[in-house]
Amino acid sequence: MEGGAYGAGKAGGAFDLQTFIRQPHTVLRLVSWVFAIVVFGSIVNEGYLNDSKESEKFCIYNRNHNACNYGVTVGVLAFLTCILYLALDVHFPQISSVKDRKKAVISDIGVSAFWAFLWFVGFCFLANQWQVSKPEDNPMNEGTDAARAAITFSFFSIFTWVGQAVLAFQRYRIGADSALFSQDYTDPSQDSSMPYAPYASEPEAGPDIGGSYQQPANAFDAETQGYQTQGY
């Protein structure tokens, strides 16, 4: 795991494509992106069958349009979410504010966990509707491979999004590197709340009670000063 603030180094470094692609969370986002394409692409292309009795097409999953709509909607939104967070991953090392990095990582945790839940619901929904589908609705077994592919990759997507949430949580635990960043530091010279810079004055000498005394320059001056003190 890369060191620094929330899994990234100090802001301002050059972008390295090879390093970026090799990062675990980047790999999982790309895999999730591909899985989302497979899910909604399979349903859109072969998930709707022609009805010989009716002019309208019906969903291959037990004629339940909600199942097809759910799979397509979740797949498309997951596809867009992967692109959004891939762009955020590219920009993340350039974010200098530790607080902004923290918000980005927390959102990654929440969004990844939320999508893992949606894919779990989608897998259960599609698998259930596929299981109760009637053979007479599709006697030619058209689109069965695509329907199974959508269910399979919905199941795989659960783990890729859970993995993204776990990696984001690990980045959150790394936190801010105190050696590189400071969240709340304020330069005292730039703090507008202080009317003037603090001034440390030297301690003043106390009052001279006995008066000032000058050391005689030589022994003659000392003797003369002694006579003057005695009144001679």
Side-chain angles (χ1 to χ4, degrees):
M1 184 69 66
E2 184 179 355
Y6 295 99
K10 190 173 182 180
F15 175 74
D16 188 354
L17 180 59
Q18 293 183 355
T19 302
F20 173 74
I21 295 177
R22 293 174 182 174
Q23 291 177 337
H25 60 273
T26 304
V27 174
L28 285 179
R29 291 200 208 284
L30 292 173
V31 173
S32 299
W33 179 71
V34 173
F35 287 175
I37 294 176
V38 173
V39 172
F40 78 79
S42 299
I43 297 176
V44 169
N45 292 330
E46 301 184 48
Y48 294 92
L49 303 177
N50 294 319
D51 193 345
S52 58
K53 299 179 181 179
E54 300 177 2
S55 58
E56 296 182 358
K57 294 183 177 182
F58 64 91
C59 179
I60 195 173
Y61 297 102
N62 195 32
R63 290 180 175 267
N64 189 344
H65 285 277
N66 291 330
C68 289
N69 292 337
Y70 185 91
V72 172
T73 302
V74 171
V76 171
L77 293 180
F79 169 81
L80 297 177
T81 303
C82 289
I83 295 178
L84 176 63
Y85 274 87
L86 281 171
L88 179 61
D89 290 339
V90 173
H91 181 65
F92 189 82
Q94 306 302 323
I95 301 176
S96 59
S97 173
V98 174
K99 293 182 179 180
D100 291 341
R101 289 190 176 193
K102 181 179 180 180
K103 293 178 182 178
V105 173
I106 291 176
S107 70
D108 192 3
I109 298 173
V111 170
S112 299
F114 177 70
W115 278 110
F117 171 76
L118 291 181
W119 280 119
F120 174 76
V121 174
F123 165 73
C124 295
F125 190 19
L126 295 178
N128 175 261
Q129 293 301 306
W130 178 250
Q131 186 178 8
V132 298
S133 297
K134 300 177 182 179
E136 56 269 20
D137 291 337
N138 186 17
M140 302 298 294
N141 292 327
E142 298 178 6
T144 55
D145 292 338
R148 294 190 182 99
I151 295 173
T152 301
F153 284 96
S154 295
F155 178 74
F156 291 158
S157 296
I158 298 173
F159 298 99
T160 58
W161 285 96
V162 168
Q164 292 181 60
V166 171
L167 291 177
F169 180 72
Q170 290 179 353
R171 294 166 65 190
Y172 176 78
R173 291 184 60 184
I174 291 176
D177 187 350
S178 59
L180 297 176
F181 298 88
S182 177
Q183 297 186 43
D184 301 319
Y185 174 76
T186 302
D187 188 353
S189 63
Q190 304 295 331
D191 190 357
S192 59
S193 63
M194 299 180 63
Y196 51 84
Y199 173 73
S201 58
E202 297 181 356
E204 297 180 357
D208 189 0
I209 301 176
S212 59
Y213 172 77
Q214 295 181 354
Q215 185 178 359
N218 48 48
F220 177 78
D221 293 338
E223 184 178 357
T224 304
Q225 185 176 357
Y227 285 127
Q228 292 178 354
T229 304
Q230 296 178 4
Y232 294 112

